[in-house]
Amino acid sequence: MDEQEFLAGYDPSAYPAVAVTTDVVALTIREGSLHLLLIRRGQPPYAGHWALPGGFVQPDEDLATGARRELAEETGLGDERMHRVHLEQLGSYGDPGRDPRMRIVSIAHLAFAPDLPDPVAASDAAEAAWLPVTELGNRQLAFDHARIIDEGLERARAKLEYTPLATRFLEPEFTISELRGVYETVWGDPLHAGNFHRKVLSVPGFVESTGATTERGGARGGPRAKLYRAGDARLLHPALLRPAREEEIR
């Protein structure tokens, strides 16, 4: 039997139906703290609960396209700003009882970018908001989204150790102090300014100088700070370890 004959006689209905959705753990820094985008569901199941932005993947979409579409719907981001969003696949979640409607497998994605706009709730959502990650314990979360969020936050924190993705939380030109602020915010730990500055500049390709400085000095009237941009490194070697990880190694 050739392939055409096989496909002509193939009956998809002979197998249990499985739907595919995508959920997005979208992170940004607002007012000096790490925020996560959540929507409050307006319809069952889990009406009134908070959930990650997401939805069913359309027949003509690949997984990343579906995730970008869902994120754009909730944030109002157009194509001209979407290119600044870092998006990567986080994991697959397929527990048979995770959704009461039917067997649904979610392919979750992690996204982060600087200064993402206020969200706009889609038609099936009662509300959408950027919420500080420190306040998530007070929210009722739908489905298995608590687990997805936990794994997304850990992925983001870990990736800042060995990749230059912290720069994606910043504008194209930034100071080392601003970069340190990203690490402190995402990791939730204060960092020694001098040690951090030295470590960053010792990693080949992490950042490169623009040759320019800030227009003004620091709050205490100090010298103007040098401006940097992201370098061409894809991995950080040596890695910038979280304080707790450094203690473990010692």
Side-chain angles (χ1 to χ4, degrees):
M1 179 184 296
D2 63 21
E3 186 169 349
Q4 288 186 339
E5 290 177 320
F6 169 77
L7 292 176
Y10 184 77
D11 181 12
S13 65
Y15 300 91
V18 178
V20 178
T21 62
T22 182
D23 292 300
V24 183
V25 180
L27 300 171
T28 195
I29 295 176
R30 296 164 69 91
E31 300 175 353
S33 64
L34 186 64
H35 281 61
L36 171 72
L37 178 60
L38 290 179
I39 61 104
R40 191 161 58 84
R41 291 181 60 83
Q43 301 175 5
Y46 294 102
H49 286 58
W50 290 88
L52 294 168
F56 290 93
V57 177
Q58 301 301 314
D60 60 344
E61 290 181 324
D62 61 25
L63 297 173
T65 300
R68 289 190 186 93
R69 173 180 53 78
E70 292 290 345
L71 183 59
E73 288 177 358
E74 301 296 347
T75 60
L77 281 177
D79 292 341
E80 72 282 357
R81 296 188 65 185
M82 185 60 74
H83 77 278
R84 295 184 59 191
V85 177
H86 171 79
L87 182 74
E88 67 177 69
Q89 193 172 125
L90 173 63
S92 56
Y93 300 84
D95 187 286
R98 66 178 299 276
D99 194 306
R101 292 170 290 188
M102 62 180 294
R103 182 70 191 275
I104 296 178
V105 175
S106 178
I107 310 301
H109 288 71
L110 175 66
F112 45 85
D115 193 28
L116 291 174
D118 291 333
V120 179
S123 58
D124 59 347
E127 185 180 355
W130 288 105
L131 300 176
V133 299
T134 55
E135 298 180 7
L136 298 181
N138 302 323
R139 310 283 173 170
Q140 286 186 308
L141 297 174
F143 309 107
D144 53 358
H145 288 187
R147 175 191 170 191
I148 298 174
I149 291 168
D150 285 345
E151 294 182 6
L153 288 171
E154 176 55 28
R155 170 76 68 84
R157 289 164 179 153
K159 294 211 75 162
L160 263 59
E161 293 185 315
Y162 61 89
T163 76
L165 290 176
T167 60
R168 299 297 289 269
F169 281 102
L170 297 167
E171 297 300 326
E173 296 186 356
F174 50 84
T175 65
I176 298 296
S177 177
E178 290 169 338
L179 181 63
R180 187 180 80 251
V182 172
Y183 276 89
E184 291 179 332
T185 300
V186 176
W187 285 351
D189 287 309
L191 302 173
H192 186 278
N195 288 345
F196 180 83
H197 193 283
R198 184 176 64 256
K199 288 179 180 179
V200 168
L201 296 186
S202 70
V203 178
F206 186 6
V207 299
E208 59 183 33
S209 175
T210 66
T213 62
T214 55
E215 293 184 1
R216 297 182 179 181
R220 298 182 179 179
R224 294 185 295 179
K226 294 180 180 179
L227 288 170
Y228 295 83
R229 65 172 68 93
D232 58 4
R234 294 296 176 262
L235 294 174
L236 303 184
H237 183 72
L240 276 69
L241 299 180
R242 284 171 275 184
R245 291 267 305 244
E246 287 185 328
E247 290 298 324
E248 290 176 2
I249 293 175
R250 290 174 188 170

